[in-house]
Amino acid sequence: MNPPGAVRGRSAIVAVGNTEQGELPGISADELAVEGLRRTLAQAGIAKGAVNGLITCKSYGGFGIDTAIGRLAGMNPSYSATLDYGTCNFSLHLATAVIEAGLCDVVAIVYGTTQRSQRNTFSTPLGHPDESSVYGFLNVAGPAAMAFRRHMSLHGTTEADLGEVAVSQRRYAVDNPLAIFREPMSLEQYLAEPYLVEPLRRSDLCMISDGAACLIVASRERARDLTDKPVDVLGIAQQTGLRDRQNADQWMRPWIEQVAERIYPAAGISQADVDALYIQDPTSMWVLQMLEYYGFVATGGVGEAFRRGAVGHGGRLPLNSNGGQLSEAYMWGFLHLCEAVRQLRGDAGERQLPGIEVAQYCSTYGFMKAASTVLARSR
Amino acid sequence: MTESLALDAPFWEGARTGELRFQRCTDCGFLRWPAAGVCPECLSRSAVWEAVEPVGTVWSFVIYHRSYSRSAPPPPYLVALVELDCGVRLITTLAGSSADHTVGMRVRARFEEFLDRGVVPVFAAVE
């Protein structure tokens, strides 16, 4: 019997697409989501009528509900749902589950946001209201900075070590026309930035942006009708930390380790088979955490791993080759999956990496959930 | 500011009388914070507020150099997470210069006026 999460190509991504990213005034979040869908279908030559499943992702301001998007897009899919925390991996996993159950066989996953134009400042405390607001503990920068200072104290990590994450990602973004931040950035420039939430700097945090992204996921049977370059979902894994503040070391998120234990058996690969790695990065600290929990680097060894070329730009294991959220755009992780699919299909243009057969994507939803997906070029 | 009809009102009332109080489940004895209507261990709805020894250890701390909200303290300001000896983890602030603060530092609560919030717990190093 297969291990849990062993999708093994029974679902495949057949198309990805996106709109421009940045500040896009004059269009609603839901219209933007539908525009992402339109472009994705048009580029892939897939008819809207072929889509019989719709999974949307709630976006800032109460947008992104499946019933509203379906109405706007003129669709009566056999199945639809909205995830409050779509953040890409979770939406993709739901798509594979409903395809597996036979509820539909071509699912459009859509996400659109205008949170930059709507001036989302992420100024409300994360999670349940508590003493955070009294002391001004706002924005994900707070918990991430807490986790980083503790990591420095426990493991001797330095600010220059963490800086390697943002610097490496910027090197990729220079070659990415979609990226918002394309100016080269050296480690010295990083270290010269003022603190935002000390010990984190501006470049450790992603900038809020507008945009849309879309993925089309199909059953193995339908995938071959829709594209000659499907990308197989090999395996998926998840774990929650819903106890939130009742979890010890809550901002270290140690339960991510359980996803790391499950994902490789699920995909039927070993970690050494991963040719390109994607880690969702609202903050560089989450990249550091996931590199360690998934075992790509030793605890406390992230800076060294970048410096000796084990991971990152120009290294043996490419990491966030789109520039990630830190440099490309804040699409709640959706653009990491779009990039992984483009690399696997050989569609990444200037950024195309050689010999990418297997890619892994790791993401989290704050302090609540973690997920990972392994994708492979279909054989 | 800390006047509240919410579940955590007894916590802020306690701070004004110089006490650190949390809910203790009267069924399983679990001490919980943030305040909640249900015990996250045994799911009982029965609890009493109880004062604890206001001592603990700094898990970590950060300094905000920008303001994310008009209601936030004026930057720069410090926020810490203190792991109390009673097991509760409390978001708070630390008195004194941040240059002297360390992860793992032993701290004790004082109860002081904090901006326009009234009297709230503020932790300081144990001498």
Side-chain angles (χ1 to χ4, degrees), chain B residues 34-86:
Chain B
V38 175
C39 172
E41 289 295 320
C42 75
L43 313 186
S44 166
R45 293 184 52 78
S46 169
V48 291
W49 285 84
E50 186 180 290
V52 303
E53 184 71 6
V55 293
T57 304
V58 172
W59 188 87
S60 188
F61 64 95
V62 301
I63 300 160
Y64 281 74
H65 292 270
R66 74 158 269 193
S67 180
Y68 284 93
S69 163
R70 272 192 293 275
S71 62
Y77 64 91
L78 185 146
V79 184
L81 182 74
V82 169
E83 282 189 315
L84 295 161
D85 291 2
C86 67

Side-chain angles (χ1 to χ4, degrees), chain A residues 158-324:
Chain A
T158 66
E159 294 177 11
D161 290 340
L162 185 67
E164 298 283 356
V165 174
V167 168
S168 166
Q169 293 188 191
R170 181 63 59 85
R171 289 197 185 113
Y172 289 113
V174 168
D175 291 326
N176 180 0
L178 191 62
I180 295 170
F181 295 100
R182 298 185 67 188
E183 290 292 306
M185 178 176 69
S186 67
L187 188 61
E188 292 67 33
Q189 286 170 312
Y190 165 85
L191 289 169
E193 286 182 355
Y195 292 119
L196 210 54
V197 178
E198 187 179 345
L200 298 184
R201 297 172 163 83
R202 168 66 197 86
S203 293
D204 292 311
L205 300 158
C206 79
M207 189 188 78
I208 292 156
S209 53
D210 301 339
C214 173
L215 290 88
I216 311 292
V217 187
S219 66
R220 189 200 307 269
E221 295 70 32
R222 288 292 282 136
R224 288 287 171 189
D225 302 336
L226 298 171
T227 178
D228 54 0
K229 290 195 288 190
V231 166
D232 288 343
V233 178
L234 288 189
I236 59 176
Q238 289 192 24
Q239 175 60 39
T240 84
L242 297 180
R243 279 173 63 93
D244 193 22
R245 290 190 57 188
Q246 302 304 337
N247 291 318
D249 291 330
Q250 55 178 330
W251 299 318
M252 295 300 203
R253 312 187 298 173
W255 34 268
I256 291 173
E257 221 162 36
Q258 295 169 57
V259 184
E261 285 166 14
R262 292 169 196 152
I263 187 61
Y264 303 108
I269 64 158
S270 74
Q271 188 177 62
D273 296 327
V274 175
D275 300 313
L277 180 61
Y278 296 87
I279 299 182
Q280 196 197 359
D281 53 340
T283 89
S284 55
M285 181 56 198
W286 286 181
V287 176
L288 184 154
Q289 274 187 351
M290 284 189 253
L291 281 171
E292 292 185 349
Y293 285 130
Y294 283 91
F296 287 101
V297 309
T299 301
V302 164
E304 185 57 24
F306 278 95
R307 286 189 289 272
R308 65 182 162 79
V311 297
H313 187 272
R316 284 190 296 286
L317 180 64
L319 172 61
N320 289 346
S321 59
N322 51 338

